[in-house]
Amino acid sequence: MPTGVTFPGPFCTMIVFPNCKINLGLHITRKRADGFHDLETIFYPLPVTDALEVISPGTLQFSRSGIAVPGNDNDNLCLKAYRLLQQDYPTLPPVNIHLHKNIPIGAGLGGGSADAAFMLQLLNNKFQLSIPDEQLITYAAILGSDCPFFIRNTPCYATGRGELLTPITLDLGKYSFLLIHPGIHVNTGWAFSQITPRQPEQALLSSIQQPVTAWKNLIYNDFEEVVAAAHPVLADIKSSMYANGALYAAMSGSGSAMVGIFPKNKIAGILWDASYLVFKII
């Protein structure tokens, strides 16, 4: 593994905007001997973003603003990404890291995973480490199952723990999206403990090729039933989306963000609870 680092100059700052993803269908197919689960899903990127800034030279420190992030800042995935690269690139200089959090936590939108993956890419570009994407994906998989997707950041069919990615052709640019997060944090470990793995009745790759208007009866998320049973408001949000013109609505990931796909520029002016985070992509 090469250890050389090219320094960009006496002072440099770089800002990137880690985006979220949604899951279109999510099937938990098997519990593995290593304690993880095999799954299949479609990852689709959307432009709801955090902001990640790195300044060098500096001392290794991390600060944040925006939505509160639970836990110790020292365990933040951005710092973990830096330290992971530093193991193989020991001359990687210390940097100041600031994360402005806009993607809700525990929402099934992959915000933390995106931050980690974008941190890897930012350091790779900033210090000209010349790490190829396949190696970045290997690093990202160490940080979290969803992280490798954000190295690709294009629609992908995902299997394994979510790290085995096959790019697919899926363009939903002719539709508008509504993301609703009702302020519920879903623990991923708990959500997996509620699922009995099973093989889907119909192949997800086949279902996703059908018109969006057919997805309501074809594409589902194994987590949605159990999470909505614990948090009935999620079913209410989904019903409201359909009642107001959604072509397809479902929970993303292990929740609790609900996703609605609407005809272009046809998102109704629904009056949501003032405590909800509402994102419109039109």
Side-chain angles (χ1 to χ4, degrees), residues 249-262:
M251 192 176 75
S252 183
S254 57
S256 62
M258 301 299 294
V259 180
I261 302 178
F262 291 75

Side-chain angles (χ1 to χ4, degrees), residues 13-197:
T13 183
M14 189 171 186
I15 301 176
V16 293
F17 298 92
N19 60 274
C20 78
K21 59 80 181 168
I22 57 171
N23 295 79
L24 298 171
L26 176 52
H27 304 147
I28 310 304
T29 59
R30 183 176 72 97
K31 185 169 184 178
R32 299 162 22 153
D34 61 7
F36 291 100
H37 290 77
D38 281 336
L39 57 82
E40 69 163 2
T41 190
I42 303 294
F43 287 134
Y44 192 87
L46 286 179
V48 175
T49 69
D50 292 337
L52 176 62
E53 180 183 40
V54 165
I55 300 173
S56 69
T59 57
L60 181 59
Q61 57 183 0
F62 174 81
S63 60
R64 57 181 171 81
S65 55
I67 295 173
V69 179
N72 190 318
D73 281 354
N74 197 49
D75 295 327
N76 188 273
L77 282 170
C78 295
L79 277 174
K80 289 185 176 181
Y82 174 90
R83 290 169 178 145
L84 182 63
L85 283 190
Q86 192 182 44
Q87 292 175 11
D88 290 331
Y89 296 84
T91 58
L92 193 66
V95 295
N96 296 345
I97 305 165
H98 182 79
L99 174 66
H100 181 77
K101 198 70 187 152
N102 181 57
I103 302 170
I105 308 296
L109 298 175
S113 297
D115 297 336
F118 273 66
M119 186 68 182
L120 292 174
Q121 292 176 310
L122 188 155
L123 293 171
N124 187 37
N125 294 332
K126 184 180 182 70
F127 298 109
Q128 300 177 33
L129 304 180
S130 301
I131 305 171
D133 280 354
E134 289 306 320
Q135 182 59 38
L136 286 175
I137 286 172
T138 299
Y139 284 127
I142 295 170
L143 296 168
S145 298
D146 288 353
C147 291
F149 166 71
F150 292 100
I151 303 297
R152 299 283 191 206
N153 217 11
T154 60
C156 286
Y157 173 65
T159 56
R161 295 186 291 119
E163 84 284 12
L164 303 178
L165 302 167
T166 303
I168 63 171
T169 300
L170 180 63
D171 183 1
L172 298 177
K174 295 181 180 179
Y175 299 92
S176 293
F177 291 82
L178 178 63
L179 305 185
I180 303 293
H181 184 249
I184 297 166
H185 184 286
V186 176
N187 181 279
T188 302
W190 170 83
F192 270 101
S193 74
Q194 305 301 304
I195 297 292
T196 300

